[in-house]
Amino acid sequence: MTEQALLLVNLGSPASTEVADVRRYLNQFLMDPYVVDLPWPLRRLLVSMILIKRPEQSAHAYASIWWPEGSPLVVLSRRLQEAVKPHWTQGPVELAMRYGEPSIETTLTRLAGQGINQVTLAPLYPQFADSTTTTVIEEARRVIRERGLSLQLSILQPFYDQPEYLEALAASARPHLEQDFDHLLLSFHGLPERHLHKVDPTGSHCLKSDDCCQRAEGAVLASCYRAQCMRTAAGFAAKAGLRDDQWSVSFQSRLGRAKWIEPYTEARLDELAERGVKKLLVMCPAFVADCIETLEEIGDRGREQFVEAGGEELVLVPCLNTHEDWVQALVKLCSRAPLAL
């Protein structure tokens, strides 16, 4: 029987909290044309300017959430890999990072060297975006092409609305939802608006109407990150039994001066505190593993902002990480991954 390897891929992390390692990581990340979608000369100029001060600032942020075992994102992804192994009986389960180590190139090359010729590629991003899903797939294809590897890929599709994922999300949050709270904020990672317009096959989506994302279907829904986030939020709320007035959606992690999708998490934190919300729960469903964007941006800075604005308590609900329901859901989703053309 031919072995089918499973390759889990997450974003990545600096090798350490040293400024030089953070600079190296940020350079690789920001120079990806799917992340900063500018012509190479402009991208190089912009990234070089960002790298003057940003690495030191980011190094401090990473240091504030770094674990003794290393980067939380990498450690949690390793734990997920180990949790999945007993349930994926088709072949080995490997882990790679799009940026940093272990790299997609090293991992695919090693699998091919072991005689594996079929790989299920699993980008660990529930919602589609060029800067997450596409760049992982294209990097894998580049490695196979340039290395001349005899590997056939099956690719996990975005699973933002899949019942197994939504049920796992609800199960992981249930202990927090069973406690008293005033409001739940679902904070997704943000994207520049132009990223959405660029991949819109109709050229007519994002018309600023209130129900644009709710009406999205077909090819538009398949490519619209914001619409998929809204579907995740609504599906989760339904699974969790939440009323419409108990939750809302926002987008975090803005970078630069470009217009990003709204509403912004920073603004929502102030608005909710000013509205009288005292105990706020925050979930980050664009991430399946806790990382700097959840632990530091929301868990530390977001909590401080909310309290300063008049709130009393911000509780960060952990990501799926290695929750048993998520492990089971991921295996089922990956087993249905279609063969790439």
Side-chain angles (χ1 to χ4, degrees):
M1 181 178 175
T2 302
E3 284 193 305
Q4 177 98 13
L6 174 59
L7 178 55
L8 308 176
V9 183
N10 217 326
L11 184 75
S13 172
S16 77
T17 60
E18 296 296 323
V19 173
D21 283 335
V22 175
R23 179 178 288 109
R24 187 177 302 108
Y25 170 78
L26 290 176
N27 182 69
Q28 184 187 10
F29 172 55
L30 296 173
M31 283 303 294
D32 184 342
Y34 288 108
V35 174
V36 178
D37 57 338
L38 296 173
W40 191 91
L42 292 177
R43 186 165 72 253
R44 181 67 272 172
L45 176 62
L46 175 62
V47 173
S48 295
M49 293 175 63
I50 292 173
L51 293 180
I52 295 173
K53 293 184 178 180
R54 186 80 180 201
E56 186 172 356
Q57 298 168 348
S58 295
H60 178 75
Y62 276 110
S64 71
I65 55 98
W66 208 257
W67 291 352
E69 309 100 302
S71 159
L73 173 67
V74 176
V75 172
L76 288 167
S77 297
R78 288 283 190 204
R79 291 177 185 174
L80 177 63
Q81 175 194 7
E82 293 303 315
V84 166
K85 280 182 178 180
H87 304 283
W88 184 264
T89 58
Q90 295 94 315
V93 178
E94 295 287 348
L95 174 70
M97 299 290 159
R98 176 60 186 90
Y99 314 104
E101 298 295 336
S103 71
I104 293 173
E105 183 163 7
T106 299
T107 308
L108 285 177
T109 302
R110 185 176 69 253
L111 285 171
Q114 294 170 354
I116 300 291
N117 55 31
Q118 295 184 19
V119 175
T120 295
L121 181 69
L124 294 175
Y125 309 107
Q127 301 83 23
F128 168 83
D130 269 349
S131 56
T132 52
T133 309
T134 302
T135 188
V136 166
I137 296 170
E138 291 306 311
E139 173 65 4
R141 286 174 169 160
R142 180 197 69 79
V143 170
I144 291 170
R145 182 179 63 252
E146 294 184 2
R147 288 273 188 169
L149 305 180
S150 297
L151 291 176
Q152 190 173 45
L153 294 178
S154 297
I155 300 176
L156 173 65
Q157 302 302 296
F159 46 91
Y160 62 95
D161 63 346
Q162 293 301 295
E164 296 94 340
Y165 162 67
L166 295 174
E167 288 164 4
L169 204 58
S172 72
R174 194 158 290 123
H176 295 273
L177 298 176
E178 290 172 348
Q179 305 297 316
D180 290 334
F181 68 98
D182 297 321
H183 194 79
L184 168 67
L185 181 62
L186 298 163
S187 179
F188 293 82
H189 198 285
L191 281 180
E193 279 192 352
R194 68 175 184 273
H195 283 210
L196 274 63
H197 296 302
K198 184 173 62 175
V199 298
D200 174 14
T202 68
S204 61
H205 190 46
C206 284
L207 298 179
K208 308 299 182 185
S209 61
D210 291 339
D211 64 346
C212 189
C213 286
Q214 283 70 30
R215 291 185 291 105
E217 295 294 344
V220 170
L221 178 58
S223 65
C224 182
Y225 173 78
R226 190 176 191 276
Q228 292 186 7
C229 290
M230 294 301 185
R231 297 296 170 92
T232 295
F236 163 78
K239 294 284 186 185
L242 297 175
R243 303 188 311 270
D244 288 348
D245 62 345
Q246 288 183 292
W247 61 277
S248 58
V249 171
S250 64
F251 297 89
Q252 64 183 84
S253 307
R254 282 183 294 160
L255 177 65
R257 299 179 180 179
K259 182 73 167 64
W260 285 51
I261 53 179
E262 297 182 277
Y264 299 141
T265 294
E266 289 178 338
R268 286 293 291 152
L269 291 175
D270 287 340
E271 291 167 6
L272 289 167
E274 291 166 5
R275 202 175 77 188
V277 170
K278 296 303 180 183
K279 182 174 181 179
L280 177 66
L281 303 182
V282 183
M283 291 179 65
C284 302
F287 307 95
V288 298
D290 279 302
C291 53
I292 191 169
E293 285 87 355
T294 65
L295 300 172
E296 192 273 338
E297 185 177 354
I298 300 297
D300 291 341
R301 284 188 286 135
R303 179 179 289 113
E304 182 179 351
Q305 178 190 341
F306 179 68
V307 171
E308 287 181 354
E312 292 180 356
E313 184 180 8
L314 185 154
V315 177
L316 176 64
V317 178
C319 289
L320 289 165
N321 295 327
T322 57
H323 192 281
E324 182 178 350
D325 288 26
W326 164 233
V327 172
Q328 298 285 349
L330 179 59
V331 171
K332 290 179 182 178
L333 292 167
C334 289
S335 68
R336 300 200 300 260
L339 190 65
L341 300 177

